[in-house]
Amino acid sequence: MELVWQDSKCIICLEQAKLTEEHVIPASLGGRLTCRFLCASCNSYLGHAIEGNAKSDPTIQLLGSRLASKIPQLAKALMDGQPHISLGPGGESRGRIVNGEFLVQSEKLSDGSLIQPTSVATKSLRRMLEQEKLDPSALTDALQMFQIAPDNIRIRLTENIEAVKWSIHGYRPALDGPLLNPVAPLKMAYEFLALHLNTSIYDSAPCLMATREALRGEPMDLTQLKVERLSAPEAKPIHGLLLESSEPYTMVQIRLMGQLAFRVHFQTLSVGGPRGIYTHDLASDQEFVAQAA
Ligand SMILES: [Zn+2]
């Protein structure tokens, strides 16, 4: 769904500019709602500095893996590039998911042995064998032996080199990434507010000014703004935005995958008129807009 905006002034820096398309809920989290509210510079700052590693948030990682059967494509995209821990007979190892496969992180252990993905290990092994100055046929034999080695059995390749090809039987997200920057939900809430305020979003009300400053990298003015991070009871394949209340002041609630919730308090701002609800069903990819009761 695309939100149509008639003005040509960026809602953050208030400069006249060519406004660029962006996602209200980050595309990296499966967000579909797009708008043209921001100049290229504000858009790029928020996209890189604030939302760049949104999917590394441990709760988002956990929800992605919990909802994988309902939203397989998004779950796969959320895992991609993220740290995971493999489980197998060799114990737990840290690595990353790359194109749907677990790639163990190269590591040198205290006993001098190396842990590497098989493809990298093959190259390392060739280098080590070359250093051992084996004759060419012995080198080929050793590489061949490594190639056909069964999993989980230690084999001796030369007098000095042993190898084990550990299999894994699963992996889980490492869940140690950074939490989503609170400025990210503030941005989503502010853009959602723009739909209710139209060009009044440009006003110089202290709360709106404080929001624009925070969205440009200034510290958040806690007398005007508060971002609460909450947990709703149930994980669901749904993203949502809701203008929760406009009295005594405005609160916008953001739900990511049903469960990760943010409540953004615009503590001195009151917004009249109807309040909107936006939902995006991630399983069917349908979007809905309704009016809050
Ligand atoms: Zn701007």
Side-chain angles (χ1 to χ4, degrees), residues 23-74:
H23 289 78
V24 179
I25 296 171
S28 64
L29 305 183
R32 286 253 309 180
L33 184 64
T34 60
C35 60
R36 286 170 190 275
F37 287 149
L38 307 183
C39 70
S41 147
C42 289
N43 190 0
S44 145
Y45 166 70
L46 289 166
H48 292 109
I50 304 301
E51 296 176 342
N53 52 11
K55 70 178 185 181
S56 305
D57 184 292
T59 305
I60 289 173
Q61 282 296 305
L62 200 59
L63 290 172
S65 78
R66 246 182 230 164
L67 294 171
S69 63
K70 291 175 179 149
I71 45 168
Q73 269 185 315
L74 177 58

Side-chain angles (χ1 to χ4, degrees), residues 116-132 134-150 155-159 161-165:
Q116 292 184 326
T118 304
S119 60
V120 180
T122 307
K123 288 181 200 140
S124 303
L125 179 62
R126 177 181 283 277
R127 260 197 315 275
M128 289 156 115
L129 293 169
E130 282 164 0
Q131 278 166 8
E132 296 227 328
L134 298 181
D135 67 74
S137 73
L139 190 147
T140 312
D141 285 352
L143 281 173
Q144 177 89 13
M145 216 176 356
F146 177 67
Q147 214 154 50
I148 61 170
I155 51 162
R156 180 165 289 281
L157 298 170
T158 70
E159 207 185 326
I161 303 175
E162 290 182 339
V164 189
K165 276 182 174 172

Side-chain angles (χ1 to χ4, degrees), residues 10 12-15 38-39 42:
C10 171
I12 295 178
C13 66
L14 309 185
E15 298 288 333
L38 307 183
C39 70
C42 289

